[in-house]
Amino acid sequence: MGRLRQFFRLSALRDDFETRLLAQEYRALLLDDHFDDGTHKELQSKCSELSTEICSRHYRHRH
């Protein structure tokens, strides 16, 4: 059951990242002025953490 829960947690995180990355891309396309609101660095950090977690196969259990 833990693996299934982990699968759904990672799927939800992937969907969240995808949505946020698309929003960031659309904003960059539509706006001439590029401003840094920290979203890029936050997403990059979270992606790095998840990549490390997935590669190590040591999953964090969230309560």
Side-chain angles (χ1 to χ4, degrees), residues 40-52:
H40 178 75
K41 289 190 187 270
E42 178 189 355
L43 289 174
Q44 196 172 35
S45 174
K46 288 187 184 227
C47 285
S48 177
E49 288 174 15
L50 275 177
S51 293
T52 301

Side-chain angles (χ1 to χ4, degrees), residues 25-53:
E25 288 177 14
Y26 285 134
R27 186 175 19 179
L29 274 173
L30 297 175
L31 298 176
D32 290 334
D33 298 330
H34 178 71
F35 63 96
D36 184 18
D37 64 353
T39 302
H40 178 75
K41 289 190 187 270
E42 178 189 355
L43 289 174
Q44 196 172 35
S45 174
K46 288 187 184 227
C47 285
S48 177
E49 288 174 15
L50 275 177
S51 293
T52 301
E53 179 182 341

Side-chain angles (χ1 to χ4, degrees), residues 5-39:
R5 189 175 319 133
Q6 181 66 13
F7 170 79
F8 287 124
R9 182 178 82 83
L10 292 175
S11 293
L13 287 172
R14 182 201 61 220
D15 292 345
D16 180 54
F17 286 147
E18 184 178 19
T19 301
R20 292 174 69 185
L21 286 169
L22 282 172
Q24 185 178 14
E25 288 177 14
Y26 285 134
R27 186 175 19 179
L29 274 173
L30 297 175
L31 298 176
D32 290 334
D33 298 330
H34 178 71
F35 63 96
D36 184 18
D37 64 353
T39 302

